[in-house]
Amino acid sequence: MTPPYTPGFGEQGYPRPTPASAAPARRALAVVSLLASAAVTAAPFLPWVWVSQEAFLLIPAQSQSWTAMDELAETSSAPGYLALAAGILGLVLALAALATGRKPLGLAAMAPGVLGTAACLLFVREIQSYQDQVANDLLARLAQAVLDIQGGLDFGWFLALGGSVVLLLCGAGHLLRKV
């Protein structure tokens, strides 16, 4: 004879298995989103591009770097402001997700991730466009041949891109969770 059915109990009187609580996983994803958002927020104020030139005769060696917020010739500071907006939006969403533990708020972390990634790609496109213009300039080609000028992306850009990708992954993590 089986005992009567009572809520909260499974077959033969044993407690019904409950699904694992999603709160710890959601909170962990929210904390990671919070850290990634902080990195994306700080990144526009760190160097995104560097240029150096080796010494030649009486011209000393020089090195300079610029942030995404600096106005460079033929580029705008829009990518820096987009990355800053993505970081702030990510911070607000991560704090709300951490406070409430709600899945939709964690899912919304994908939006700042997309915005931050777009800012990084826009910055690269603008720098590449500027390099293409300089490549066609005779004076710039002579300076490059004589002074050995080199440049590249700096750690601020990589921090912004990495934080944005982590935000995308955290949003996807919320999406893949069943509970």
Side-chain angles (χ1 to χ4, degrees):
M1 182 162 134
T2 59
Y5 173 78
T6 55
F9 288 91
E11 293 181 28
Q12 299 181 3
Y14 292 110
R16 227 184 258 150
T18 58
S21 175
R26 285 189 191 148
R27 292 206 188 280
L29 286 172
V31 168
V32 172
S33 294
L34 186 67
L35 294 173
S37 297
V40 174
T41 303
F45 302 104
L46 299 172
W48 276 37
V49 67
W50 61 271
V51 174
S52 70
Q53 156 226 312
E54 291 185 14
F56 177 74
L57 296 176
L58 299 175
I59 302 172
Q62 296 179 357
S63 181
Q64 192 170 6
S65 59
W66 292 272
T67 69
M69 306 297 269
D70 293 336
E71 289 288 334
L72 297 172
E74 304 296 325
T75 63
S76 68
S77 56
Y81 289 114
L82 282 175
L84 182 62
I88 291 171
L89 180 61
L91 283 172
V92 169
L93 289 172
L95 284 172
L98 191 59
T100 63
R102 297 195 58 217
K103 183 177 181 175
L105 290 172
L107 262 171
M110 292 180 83
V114 169
L115 187 62
T117 304
C120 292
L121 295 176
L122 178 64
F123 185 80
V124 168
R125 189 184 65 74
E126 285 185 358
I127 294 297
Q128 186 63 44
S129 174
Y130 178 68
Q131 285 178 338
D132 292 343
Q133 284 180 341
V134 170
N136 295 331
D137 187 15
L138 178 63
L139 194 57
R141 284 192 288 179
L142 287 173
Q144 171 64 29
V146 173
L147 297 176
D148 190 25
I149 301 170
Q150 297 178 355
L153 297 172
D154 215 341
F155 66 92
W157 182 85
F158 289 104
L159 184 64
L161 182 64
S164 298
V165 169
V166 169
L167 283 172
L168 283 170
L169 292 175
C170 286
H174 282 285
L175 186 62
L176 296 176
R177 300 259 332 142
K178 298 255 187 226
V179 179

